[in-house]
């Protein structure tokens, strides 16, 4: 039975020729404590997707975008659209970086395809 723990020479038995950190004394009796380390994972950063007001994009088109790309119901979409209209900017949703980046690209592409200058951007929350 081997008392070797991690293959780098840190063992009670063996010759200590791993990476130079083993003691090579060979006196271990199997009484070491085995610990399992868990990698620390942190939550991904979140990003706000923002719509910016302009004087040309129809309000109904903004509502359509909010319903289609952000899964807002009609009342929520109208509320956000009015906020954008009154305050110049509004939050459509909060997402991980990749999702936010995709939503921004989808909105801009959809607006350009329909010949509207609507601007959509994202910022770290």
């Amino acid at each position: 039975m081997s008392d070797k723990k991690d293959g780098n020479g840190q063992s009670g038995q063996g010759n200590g020729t791993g990476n130079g950190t083993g003691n090579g004394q060979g006196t271990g009796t199997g009484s070491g404590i085995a610990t399992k380390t868990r990698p620390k994972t942190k939550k991904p950063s979140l990003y706000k997707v923002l719509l910016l007001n302009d004087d040309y994009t129809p309000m109904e088109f903004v509502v359509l975008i909010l319903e289609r790309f952000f899964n807002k119901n009609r009342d929520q979409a109208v509320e956000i659209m009015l906020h954008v209209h009154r305050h110049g900017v509004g939050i459509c949703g909060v997402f991980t970086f990749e999702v936010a980046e995709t939503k921004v690209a989808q909105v801009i592409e959809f607006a350009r395809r329909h010949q509207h200058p609507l601007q959509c951007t994202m910022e770290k929350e």
Side-chain angles (χ1 to χ4, degrees):
M1 181 166 119
S2 175
D3 191 28
K4 195 163 193 167
K5 290 195 178 27
D6 60 9
N8 66 4
Q10 293 181 355
S11 68
Q13 297 175 354
N15 61 12
T17 60
N19 64 6
T21 60
N23 61 16
Q25 294 176 356
T27 59
T29 60
S31 63
I33 298 173
T35 59
K36 186 174 183 179
T37 58
R38 292 186 186 173
K40 297 229 177 195
T41 56
K42 63 179 186 176
K43 293 185 179 182
S45 297
L46 295 177
Y47 292 79
K48 296 183 280 191
V49 175
L50 307 169
L51 279 180
L52 306 176
N53 189 38
D54 63 67
D55 294 332
Y56 304 102
T57 305
M59 291 179 176
E60 195 57 40
F61 186 77
V62 175
V63 170
L64 173 66
I65 282 180
L66 291 164
E67 291 172 335
R68 179 177 285 193
F69 296 107
F70 299 97
N71 299 317
K72 303 296 183 189
N73 65 38
R74 187 76 175 172
D75 291 338
Q76 292 171 321
V78 168
E79 185 178 333
I80 294 169
M81 176 275 298
L82 288 173
H83 183 85
V84 171
H85 181 69
R86 292 179 183 135
H87 301 282
V89 65
I91 299 172
C92 303
V94 179
F95 309 95
T96 59
F97 179 82
E98 291 81 9
V99 173
E101 188 176 48
T102 301
K103 298 249 184 219
V104 168
Q106 288 173 330
V107 168
I108 291 173
E109 191 274 328
F110 189 73
R112 297 304 169 267
R113 195 168 0 123
H114 290 85
Q115 299 178 344
H116 295 298
L118 183 66
Q119 289 294 309
C120 185
T121 188
M122 59 190 255
E123 70 178 33
K124 197 168 188 175
E125 188 173 44

